[in-house]
Amino acid sequence: MLDESLLDAPEALAVADRRGLLRGAAEAGARVRTAVRHATEAGLTQLKPDGRPRAILIAGPGTAATCVADLLGTLAGAGCPVIRLAPTGVAPAAGALRWALPGWAGPLDLLLIATPDGAEPGLELLAEQAYRRGCTVVAVAPARSPLAEGVEGSHGLTVPMATSPYGEYEAPHDGERASGTYEARRVDDEAAASAPATLWALLTPLLILLDRTGLITAPAETLEKIADRLDQVAERCGPVVATYSNPAKTLAAELADALPVIWTEGRLAGPVGRRFAATLAELAGHPAVAGELPESLPAHGALLAGDLAPSADGDDFFRDRVEESHHLRARVVLLRERPVNAGGLSAAPTARELAHGHDVAISELEPEDGDELETLAELIAVTDFAAVYLALAPRDRS
């Protein structure tokens, strides 16, 4: 069971948050604004492309780059194919990963590189390969990183990745602060690729780029609305807000004992559901499955009817539970856009009926009204906060 008392203890959460995950979730809006400024200084907003690329290729390590590719592919739709280049290698270390262009890639294609590290030799080699093939290369990477310098050397464009507005160094411990003698230490962020703010630092410049190419619509005023919506979610979901009025803490508490079966409805909700499942696994060590309605109903029906269903406990109310091992029970998480689509068709009633028919509880998230990218930002932000709270609050698994 989740220790819900910790969720309403901001100081305890701060002590548990050694990786700065809550701060990262809270500063997502600031990262968007910083990323816009960096993109402007790099000349991205002044680009005048000759036309749309034949295909967009995206490369980068970790959860954030995967979500960037998923989101851009969904936003671009039929306007241009967006293809993620998956890495190969013997280990997930920066030095071991390698990427390769497809055989058909050439001057008509655009290669986007998104990484919070910038020290991957494989990405430098990929940029060189793209230059030899005539591909246009745009990278979002930490300033002065080997990759940034390599891309610029190959006549590509680099946008410095937006970093934390609060600096890159870890705050001193209580003893160090009391003594007044300590050295600033760089934070060893094990979750850099999946930390909440990393996604927005990588995604924002690429939204600007695709807006310039005409593939999506993301003008400056829309990006400001995204940042404002992220700030609003941070106010509603922050650690000082009690669980009963905090949608992220509420969701974390509901999922603590559950296997989240994440069902999404709406064009942009799909990438959010897949990111939520990946972030739960990577940050909180919590398994989850994700699928889009209506196809996920038959695909996941057996999960709700099998051993993971609450009804699988049997009808013996007086059975001895003392020696009973704890195991997860399915819980549906329904993520929806508003409105779902122009025709008003929705599989949500069928989804609820299926879940209730197996006594499976449902958690629902639906954003407030706004532009397409605003509602996307809200869904991502709330689920990111929920994953962080699950990562920080200890659970009794006995």
Side-chain angles (χ1 to χ4, degrees), residues 343-393:
L345 299 176
S346 174
T350 305
R352 297 187 189 101
E353 183 179 351
L354 177 63
H356 293 155
H358 296 292
D359 296 325
V360 174
I362 298 181
S363 301
E364 296 194 34
L365 285 182
E366 191 172 285
E368 297 178 0
D369 291 333
D371 294 343
E372 184 179 59
L373 289 175
E374 284 184 84
T375 59
L376 169 71
E378 181 175 337
L379 285 175
I380 290 176
V382 174
T383 52
D384 276 353
F385 266 105
V388 168
Y389 286 126
L390 270 176
L392 298 182

Side-chain angles (χ1 to χ4, degrees), residues 226-380:
I226 290 174
D228 290 343
R229 183 66 66 96
L230 291 171
D231 289 344
Q232 292 167 11
V233 173
E235 292 177 0
R236 291 167 48 211
C237 298
V240 299
V241 181
T243 300
Y244 68 85
S245 59
N246 187 320
K249 287 183 179 180
T250 299
L251 183 59
E254 291 171 346
L255 298 183
D257 255 1
L259 171 71
V261 180
I262 303 167
W263 288 343
T264 63
E265 187 169 60
R267 189 169 69 98
L268 293 179
V272 178
R274 290 186 285 274
R275 171 177 168 80
F276 188 28
T279 306
L280 283 172
E282 190 167 343
L283 294 186
H286 199 91
V289 294
E292 298 185 34
L293 295 177
E295 291 181 324
S296 55
L297 297 180
H300 295 160
L303 285 176
L304 306 189
D307 292 340
L308 295 173
S311 57
D313 282 335
D315 297 327
D316 185 4
F317 179 82
F318 298 100
R319 71 185 185 281
D320 184 5
R321 291 179 172 84
V322 174
E323 301 298 329
E324 204 174 70
S325 61
H326 173 72
H327 57 285
L328 299 178
R329 294 300 182 196
R331 185 183 185 99
V332 169
V333 180
L334 186 57
L335 304 179
R336 304 174 66 206
E337 294 177 31
R338 183 189 294 176
V340 176
N341 56 45
L345 299 176
S346 174
T350 305
R352 297 187 189 101
E353 183 179 351
L354 177 63
H356 293 155
H358 296 292
D359 296 325
V360 174
I362 298 181
S363 301
E364 296 194 34
L365 285 182
E366 191 172 285
E368 297 178 0
D369 291 333
D371 294 343
E372 184 179 59
L373 289 175
E374 284 184 84
T375 59
L376 169 71
E378 181 175 337
L379 285 175
I380 290 176

Side-chain angles (χ1 to χ4, degrees), residues 48-298:
K48 296 180 180 179
D50 294 332
R52 295 183 178 183
R54 176 180 61 179
I56 296 175
L57 308 171
I58 301 182
T63 303
T66 300
C67 186
V68 165
D70 198 1
L71 287 169
L72 292 182
T74 301
L75 288 167
C80 178
V82 177
I83 302 167
R84 177 177 177 261
L85 303 180
T88 59
V90 297
L97 296 175
R98 292 293 182 270
W99 289 261
L101 292 174
W104 48 263
L108 299 177
D109 305 309
L110 171 63
L111 172 64
L112 305 179
I113 299 176
T115 173
D117 189 331
E120 302 92 344
L123 289 177
E124 294 182 61
L125 293 173
L126 180 68
E128 293 175 6
Q129 183 186 13
Y131 172 67
R132 292 193 300 269
R133 297 266 199 99
C135 298
T136 301
V137 181
V138 177
V140 182
R144 298 180 298 279
S145 63
L147 174 64
E149 295 174 356
V151 170
E152 292 172 357
S154 298
H155 305 284
L157 175 64
T158 300
V159 180
M161 176 183 165
T163 57
S164 169
Y166 303 105
E168 299 179 325
Y169 295 97
E170 186 178 14
H173 299 305
D174 291 340
E176 295 170 330
R177 185 181 292 107
S179 65
T181 59
Y182 65 89
E183 294 182 3
R185 289 172 287 116
R186 192 178 184 86
V187 175
D188 182 16
D189 187 2
E190 299 174 357
S194 58
T198 301
L199 170 66
W200 295 105
L202 297 177
L203 178 63
T204 303
L206 301 183
L207 290 175
I208 295 172
L209 175 63
L210 295 196
D211 175 75
R212 299 301 300 170
T213 63
L215 285 171
I216 67 172
T217 303
E221 54 269 23
T222 295
L223 296 175
E224 184 60 34
K225 289 180 180 179
I226 290 174
D228 290 343
R229 183 66 66 96
L230 291 171
D231 289 344
Q232 292 167 11
V233 173
E235 292 177 0
R236 291 167 48 211
C237 298
V240 299
V241 181
T243 300
Y244 68 85
S245 59
N246 187 320
K249 287 183 179 180
T250 299
L251 183 59
E254 291 171 346
L255 298 183
D257 255 1
L259 171 71
V261 180
I262 303 167
W263 288 343
T264 63
E265 187 169 60
R267 189 169 69 98
L268 293 179
V272 178
R274 290 186 285 274
R275 171 177 168 80
F276 188 28
T279 306
L280 283 172
E282 190 167 343
L283 294 186
H286 199 91
V289 294
E292 298 185 34
L293 295 177
E295 291 181 324
S296 55
L297 297 180

Side-chain angles (χ1 to χ4, degrees), residues 6-70:
L6 180 61
L7 290 180
D8 288 327
E11 293 183 358
L13 284 171
V15 171
D17 190 11
R18 299 294 300 162
R19 293 178 291 177
L21 298 176
L22 278 173
R23 187 186 69 185
E27 69 187 27
R31 290 286 186 105
V32 170
R33 296 185 182 93
T34 303
V36 171
R37 186 175 71 252
H38 287 177
T40 302
E41 293 170 352
L44 208 57
T45 56
Q46 302 303 317
L47 286 180
K48 296 180 180 179
D50 294 332
R52 295 183 178 183
R54 176 180 61 179
I56 296 175
L57 308 171
I58 301 182
T63 303
T66 300
C67 186
V68 165
D70 198 1

